[in-house]
């Protein structure tokens, strides 16, 4: 009985992780679109609504006349409280995950590995990588016209997303044939090495691809905007080169140092990639609320996966595998939300001064001439 309840808890925790990401997704209403596109019409619309009677006369029950979308009140409440809902979901997920190891898992996992039910949950958590990453690729495709004007290389970002999926495919093969989806037995072989190369390399490639458009990889730091900005630029240059070199020499490190030894270099590079991805998702695709929380939750979930991995090394409870894999897979959900909410900035990029493609700034002289021309064409 305890095992079945814990299995249900694992599924509930994963749904909470998904719910926490959905909670930060944009909620659009007809009223919101109307106020964004035609503010004057909205003002006129509201003033006219005040003249209408609040209830319809007739033999039937009075029916309230809504001033906008019939579901406006519900969607506005959801939109207003979406951050609270997301925070609650994150707390519930954390409580659920910290419930491990339960006595059932501690006894069954250490003595006999995963049970059949636990193994199914672990397998499903890993296979969710493919629909989640496919959704991220679809968001990149739908927002390509904006993203290609904001970041260094959308094509490289697509390659990184493919590498992440290839890495998880190798990882699943490694889990299946090595320890029947357990983690206690780890072998240094071609499958495990390929898993590490594509997984770590994909994350590094994504971080580099999210660089600002028009900023070269090899450059001198720019101190023209102050010492602080120059130092930040210097850190970005060194970090990008470190990620690139770590990706290239990763197979050599694996052959020379083995699985455990190479991780001493790969884990720091993955941390640098996570920090860079957080900042660049937020700043280079926005900045807005959704890119901020998308980057932040991506990094938090990646750190959660690392933390669960450390916890596993301490207590060797095999079912923690679902928390480790679920954290890394779940991190791609806020990543996708950030891509989906990519937007153009103003006429120029405020950080680099680069003119955004397709948006031409108008000088005051050009504005006056255009205004005079339009006045002459107006009958």
């Amino acid at each position: 009985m305890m095992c079945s309840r814990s299995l249900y808890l694992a599924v509930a925790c994963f749904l909470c992780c998904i719910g926490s990401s959905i909670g930060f997704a944009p909620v659009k209403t007809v009223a919101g679109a109307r106020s964004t596109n035609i503010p004057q019409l909205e003002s006129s619309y509201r003033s006219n609504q005040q003249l209408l009677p609040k209830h319809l006369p007739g033999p039937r029950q009075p029916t309230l006349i809504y001033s906008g979308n019939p579901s406006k009140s519900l969607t506005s409440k959801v939109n207003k409280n979406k951050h609270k809902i997301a925070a609650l979901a994150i707390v519930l997920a954390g409580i659920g995950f910290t419930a491990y190891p339960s006595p059932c898992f501690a006894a069954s996992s250490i003595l006999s590995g995963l049970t059949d039910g636990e193994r199914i949950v672990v397998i499903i958590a890993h296979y969710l990588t493919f629909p989640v990453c496919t959704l991220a690729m679809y968001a990149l495709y739908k927002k390509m016209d904006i993203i290609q004007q904001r970041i260094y290389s959308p094509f490289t970002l697509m390659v990184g997303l493919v590498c992440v999926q290839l890495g998880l495919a190798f990882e699943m093969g490694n889990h299946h044939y090595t320890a029947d989806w357990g983690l206690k037995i780890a072998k240094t072989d071609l499958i495990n090495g390929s898993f590490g190369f594509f997984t770590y390399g994909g994350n590094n490639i994504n971080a580099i691809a999210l660089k600002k458009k028009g900023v070269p990889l090899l450059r001198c730091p720019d101190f023209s905007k102050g010492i602080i900005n120059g130092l930040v630029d210097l850190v970005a240059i060194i970090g990008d080169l470190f990620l690139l070199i770590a990706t290239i020499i990763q197979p050599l490190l694996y052959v020379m140092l083995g699985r455990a030894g190479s991780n001493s270099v790969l884990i720091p590079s993955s941390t640098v990639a996570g920090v860079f991805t957080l900042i660049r998702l937020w700043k280079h695709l926005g900045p807005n609320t959704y890119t901020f929380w998308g980057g932040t939750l991506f990094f938090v979930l990646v750190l959660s996966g690392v933390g669960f991995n450390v916890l596993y090394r301490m207590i060797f409870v095999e079912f923690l595998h679902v928390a480790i894999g679920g954290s890394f897979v779940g991190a791609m959900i806020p990543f996708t939300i950030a891509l989906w909410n990519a937007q153009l900035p103003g006429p120029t990029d405020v950080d680099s001064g680069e003119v955004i493609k397709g948006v031409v700034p108008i000088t005051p002289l050009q504005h006056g001439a255009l205004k005079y021309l339009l006045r002459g064409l107006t009958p």
Side-chain angles (χ1 to χ4, degrees), residues 125-178:
H126 281 72
Y127 270 95
L128 283 175
T129 302
F130 301 108
V132 170
C133 287
T134 300
L135 184 60
M137 297 172 70
Y138 179 72
L140 177 60
Y141 164 75
K142 292 294 290 185
K143 289 286 186 174
M144 182 61 71
D145 57 336
I146 294 177
I147 293 178
Q148 68 182 353
Q149 301 180 45
R150 296 301 312 273
I151 68 172
Y152 181 70
S153 175
F155 173 75
T156 305
L157 182 60
M158 185 74 74
V159 171
L161 293 174
V162 173
C163 286
V164 170
Q165 296 179 74
L166 288 174
L168 265 295
F170 279 110
E171 182 188 18
M172 288 186 290
N174 184 59
H175 289 327
H176 178 74
Y177 293 107
T178 301

Side-chain angles (χ1 to χ4, degrees), residues 1-345:
M1 179 63 69
M2 188 177 297
C3 287
S4 61
R5 291 180 179 177
S6 300
L7 180 60
Y8 296 147
L9 179 60
V11 176
C13 291
F14 183 77
L15 293 178
C16 284
C17 287
I18 297 177
S20 65
S21 300
I22 296 176
F24 290 107
V27 179
K28 297 182 179 180
T29 61
V30 175
R34 183 170 55 244
S35 61
T36 301
N37 297 330
I38 314 177
Q40 296 84 358
L41 183 60
E42 170 68 11
S43 177
S44 175
Y45 177 85
R46 290 181 176 177
S47 61
N48 291 335
Q49 284 294 327
Q50 294 176 358
L51 302 178
L52 294 175
K54 294 298 181 180
H55 297 85
L56 292 174
R60 296 183 178 181
Q61 281 293 108
T63 304
L64 180 64
I65 298 179
Y66 289 95
S67 60
N69 189 349
S71 60
K72 179 180 179 181
S73 59
L74 177 60
T75 53
S76 62
K77 290 180 180 179
V78 173
N79 192 25
K80 182 179 180 181
N81 299 307
K82 63 180 181 294
H83 296 114
K84 297 179 181 179
I85 296 172
L88 178 61
I90 294 173
V91 171
L92 291 176
I95 293 174
F97 282 137
T98 54
Y100 303 115
S102 70
C104 169
F105 291 136
S108 64
S109 298
I110 294 177
L111 297 179
S112 60
L114 295 169
T115 65
D116 291 339
E118 295 167 359
R119 187 176 295 104
I120 291 174
V121 175
V122 171
I123 293 173
I124 292 175
H126 281 72
Y127 270 95
L128 283 175
T129 302
F130 301 108
V132 170
C133 287
T134 300
L135 184 60
M137 297 172 70
Y138 179 72
L140 177 60
Y141 164 75
K142 292 294 290 185
K143 289 286 186 174
M144 182 61 71
D145 57 336
I146 294 177
I147 293 178
Q148 68 182 353
Q149 301 180 45
R150 296 301 312 273
I151 68 172
Y152 181 70
S153 175
F155 173 75
T156 305
L157 182 60
M158 185 74 74
V159 171
L161 293 174
V162 173
C163 286
V164 170
Q165 296 179 74
L166 288 174
L168 265 295
F170 279 110
E171 182 188 18
M172 288 186 290
N174 184 59
H175 289 327
H176 178 74
Y177 293 107
T178 301
D180 200 14
W181 292 90
L183 291 174
K184 194 171 184 179
I185 303 175
K187 299 173 66 175
T188 300
D189 54 16
L190 179 62
I191 297 179
N192 184 265
S194 300
F195 149 64
F197 173 76
F198 284 107
T199 302
Y200 289 112
N203 291 327
N204 295 346
I205 290 172
N206 287 338
I208 295 174
L210 288 168
K211 280 167 42 65
K212 191 185 301 294
K213 177 181 173 61
V215 178
L217 186 64
L218 298 176
R219 65 188 187 279
C220 294
D222 183 11
F223 287 92
S224 62
K225 298 180 181 179
I227 297 178
I228 302 298
N229 289 334
L231 292 176
V232 171
D233 192 26
L234 179 62
V235 171
I237 295 172
I238 296 175
D240 286 331
L241 292 177
F242 171 69
L243 294 177
L244 181 61
I245 294 173
T247 303
I248 295 174
I249 68 173
Q250 182 176 339
L252 181 62
L253 289 176
Y254 190 86
V255 172
M256 295 175 59
L257 305 177
R259 178 179 179 274
S262 62
N263 283 339
S264 61
V265 177
L266 300 179
I267 292 178
S269 70
S270 181
T271 303
V272 173
V275 174
F276 277 32
T277 302
L278 185 164
I279 297 174
R280 289 170 174 177
L281 280 175
W282 173 29
K283 291 292 188 178
H284 296 177
L285 295 182
N288 57 53
T289 302
Y290 308 112
T291 57
F292 169 76
W293 284 112
T296 302
L297 290 179
F298 169 83
F299 187 63
V300 168
L301 287 172
V302 168
L303 289 184
S304 298
V306 175
F308 284 124
N309 196 10
V310 173
L311 180 61
Y312 169 79
R313 300 300 173 187
M314 297 170 59
I315 61 178
F316 293 103
V317 176
E318 291 296 337
F319 195 70
L320 278 173
H321 195 179
V322 72
I324 298 171
S327 296
F328 289 116
V329 174
M332 295 306 300
I333 298 176
F335 187 96
T336 303
I337 292 175
L339 291 178
W340 200 271
N341 289 276
Q343 64 181 23
L344 287 175

